[in-house]
Amino acid sequence: MENKKKIRGIIPPTVTPLKEDESLDRTAVKRLIDYCISKGVNGLFCNGTSGEAMRVTDEVWYQNTIATLEYADQRVPVYCGAIDSSTARAIEKIKEIEHAGGKYAVCTAPFYLLNFGQDEILRHFDRICERTDIDIIIYNIPETTQVNILPETIAKMAGWGRVVAYKDSCADYQQLQRELIAVEEYDISLLNGAEELCAASMLFGAQGCIPGLANFVPELFVRLYEYCAAGKIAESYALQKRIVEVRKILQVNGCWMSAMKYMLLAFKLGTDAITFPLEKLKDEEKKKVQELLVKTEVCI
């Protein structure tokens, strides 16, 4: 079970720091990576949903891939997003990740056009695995792709040599429980992507979590991982309650990404520049974030 052993723990899906012209802020990328690693995270996932991967330009996407690999400098594994709407487009991104020296690519099911069933998902990942020499992490995020990869489907792919991990962000505990059972005999790491389910998922066998707020409060999630690994249920529950309170920051306005970008500024890790036409937080919304940080005893 080598993949279960090495792909585990807390893996922040890194925010992509931007300048006001939406070019990549490489200085902030380094600052964010150093900050997360210094807090004990077990890996980094660049160009995911929290990284605005489907909103930044292709140039920013590629430069962020290169910068993250360079600045991580093999201190922790880097999982590179290759998220796109079709198999061919995802493979193009994987080839660029290969060229940049990446060892892992994270891919969703194809989206935009109506999905025609689980067989389409299987065909998609089968071709991806055929056309690459690096390892693949399957990413289920129905909220954005409108496609749900079912537990029975991931079980079929769990034995494929190139598939090493599965990130589930469906935020459905019933489905997560079925997935844990479906893949427990396979050498595939199961990673939860829903912050509300971090404690429950890891206590019941998930190898780790990929929570967006770990960009800013990684120590909370690292401690939670340690509690869960030690089977400390009461301590895990108490820390999960605190994380739920911190997560209210993402609900101060209609766009959680705006709140994430403001957190980048509040923690002095970058600016709050965001992809157009999304808007930055208004002053009253920033005040709410600051109040929640004080209430949850998060230091900045």
Side-chain angles (χ1 to χ4, degrees), residues 108-299:
T108 66
F111 54 89
Y112 188 72
L113 287 181
L114 177 69
N115 175 264
F116 290 97
Q118 299 296 297
D119 284 347
E120 180 179 300
I121 295 169
L122 289 166
R123 293 196 302 274
H124 170 71
F125 283 106
D126 182 48
R127 177 160 293 189
I128 282 174
C129 290
E130 285 179 351
R131 303 281 173 95
T132 181
D133 294 321
I134 63 176
D135 290 330
I136 299 298
I137 296 171
I138 297 171
Y139 180 9
N140 188 36
I141 181 163
E143 181 181 358
T144 56
T145 63
Q146 306 303 308
V147 181
N148 188 21
I149 303 173
L150 298 180
E152 297 78 13
T153 303
I154 191 61
K156 290 178 181 178
M157 295 186 282
W160 296 359
R162 289 258 169 250
V163 175
V164 297
Y166 177 60
K167 179 194 176 186
D168 183 26
S169 294
C170 72
D172 181 335
Y173 185 71
Q174 181 180 19
Q175 178 164 323
L176 178 66
Q177 184 67 73
R178 290 167 55 206
E179 291 162 355
L180 286 165
I181 294 168
V183 304
E184 63 183 352
E185 300 300 325
Y186 293 95
D187 187 17
I188 177 175
S189 181
L190 198 152
L191 305 166
N192 163 62
E195 285 149 346
E196 304 94 326
L197 295 178
C198 280
S201 65
M202 292 190 291
L203 283 169
F204 272 80
Q207 279 65 53
C209 288
I210 305 181
L213 285 173
N215 281 271
F216 314 109
V217 286
E219 66 277 8
L220 294 186
F221 292 93
V222 170
R223 198 183 321 150
L224 179 61
Y225 171 67
E226 292 169 350
Y227 284 159
C228 292
K232 295 182 177 181
I233 296 174
E235 293 88 344
S236 299
Y237 179 69
L239 194 50
Q240 181 68 65
K241 284 178 64 178
R242 187 176 173 197
I243 288 168
V244 168
E245 287 300 306
V246 176
R247 197 175 186 280
K248 291 179 180 178
I249 287 168
L250 304 182
Q251 301 160 4
V252 298
N253 79 346
C255 179
W256 61 268
M257 180 57 69
S258 299
M260 290 276 278
K261 283 303 184 75
Y262 175 68
M263 290 278 277
L264 197 65
L265 176 65
F267 278 76
K268 299 180 174 61
L269 296 169
T271 75
D272 58 350
I274 192 166
T275 48
F276 188 84
L278 298 178
E279 292 185 311
K280 299 179 182 181
L281 294 189
K282 298 178 175 61
D283 288 343
E284 61 269 24
E285 293 164 345
K286 294 177 183 178
K287 183 178 179 181
K288 288 180 183 178
V289 171
Q290 294 292 341
E291 290 171 350
L292 283 165
L293 290 172
V294 171
K295 181 181 178 181
T296 53
E297 299 179 344
V298 172
C299 297

Side-chain angles (χ1 to χ4, degrees), residues 4-57:
K4 278 182 163 65
K5 292 176 183 177
K6 70 181 181 181
I7 305 174
R8 62 187 304 114
I10 300 304
I11 303 166
T14 51
V15 172
T16 302
L18 300 174
K19 298 178 181 178
E20 291 300 330
D21 64 358
E22 296 192 30
S23 62
L24 185 67
D25 187 341
R26 288 180 65 99
T27 301
V29 173
K30 185 177 189 305
R31 192 180 300 126
L32 177 62
I33 288 171
D34 288 343
Y35 172 75
C36 288
I37 293 176
S38 73
K39 299 292 185 178
V41 303
N42 305 96
L44 301 165
F45 170 30
C46 70
N47 290 325
T49 310
S50 295
E52 297 172 277
M54 293 304 297
R55 302 181 60 86
V56 297
T57 65

Side-chain angles (χ1 to χ4, degrees), residues 51-68:
E52 297 172 277
M54 293 304 297
R55 302 181 60 86
V56 297
T57 65
D58 288 345
E59 177 64 18
V60 168
W61 174 88
Y62 185 60
Q63 290 302 320
N64 190 43
T65 301
I66 293 172
T68 304

